[in-house]
Amino acid sequence: MTREQKAVAIEDLKAKLADSNIFYIADISGLNAEVTSNLRKACYKVGIKLEVVKNTLLTKAMEASDRNYDELPSTLKGNSAILFAEVANGPAKVIKEFRKKAEKPAIKGAFINDEIYVGDNLLETLVAIKSKEEVIGEIIGLLQSPAQRVISALKNQFKDEE
């Protein structure tokens, strides 16, 4: 890869990082082409874009970014893939499901709405993160609950007066 090609690749990665509030970095070392292809298909089905990256290029893209990726660049050893997603727990769910059949991929780290997560030991934590829609649904449910109780109490009050 020429110096110019590397510069273009770094700028491309930098732009992708800037456009994404959610991405995971996964260890895919030891996965053959068929297994990697199956992982890519599993990601595609749920709207996640998986891209195999060179660690040095991703590190340079992170360093050139306006965002603080804290300790994520230090996790970039071995073969790495970056998973871009719209739903915070999407990649974690795919990885958890995929690992029922294979030992990897393992989570090196994740960037979720300016929060940094490092380590495969956080898989269950990342799976449990609620999506924006789930949180909104819970809030609406909580807000409706007291109003429904007030309406029921008023209905019962009017029934008693009749």
Side-chain angles (χ1 to χ4, degrees), residues 135-149:
V135 172
I136 290 170
E138 284 183 6
I139 291 170
I140 290 171
L142 289 170
L143 292 173
Q144 286 179 338
S145 181
Q148 288 171 338
R149 279 190 248 140

Side-chain angles (χ1 to χ4, degrees), residues 22 86-90 93 113 129-141:
I22 300 165
E86 296 293 323
V87 178
N89 64 1
K93 286 181 176 180
N113 300 320
I129 291 176
K130 294 186 187 310
S131 71
K132 183 177 174 181
E133 291 77 19
E134 290 171 327
V135 172
I136 290 170
E138 284 183 6
I139 291 170
I140 290 171

Side-chain angles (χ1 to χ4, degrees), residues 49-115:
K49 186 175 186 305
L50 181 144
E51 190 174 319
V52 176
V53 293
K54 289 188 177 278
N55 293 330
T56 53
L57 299 180
L58 182 54
T59 299
K60 289 180 181 186
M62 286 180 173
E63 289 169 353
S65 173
D66 295 335
R67 289 182 172 163
N68 178 15
Y69 293 110
D70 204 27
E71 57 197 292
L72 280 180
S74 68
T75 67
L76 297 171
K77 294 169 181 67
N79 294 351
S80 300
I82 189 163
L83 293 84
F84 294 101
E86 296 293 323
V87 178
N89 64 1
K93 286 181 176 180
V94 169
I95 289 170
K96 183 178 179 179
E97 184 64 29
F98 202 80
R99 289 205 348 214
K100 289 179 180 176
K101 301 175 200 148
E103 193 175 306
K104 292 205 175 169
I107 295 174
K108 292 182 178 185
F111 178 85
I112 301 171
N113 300 320
D114 294 322
E115 294 287 326

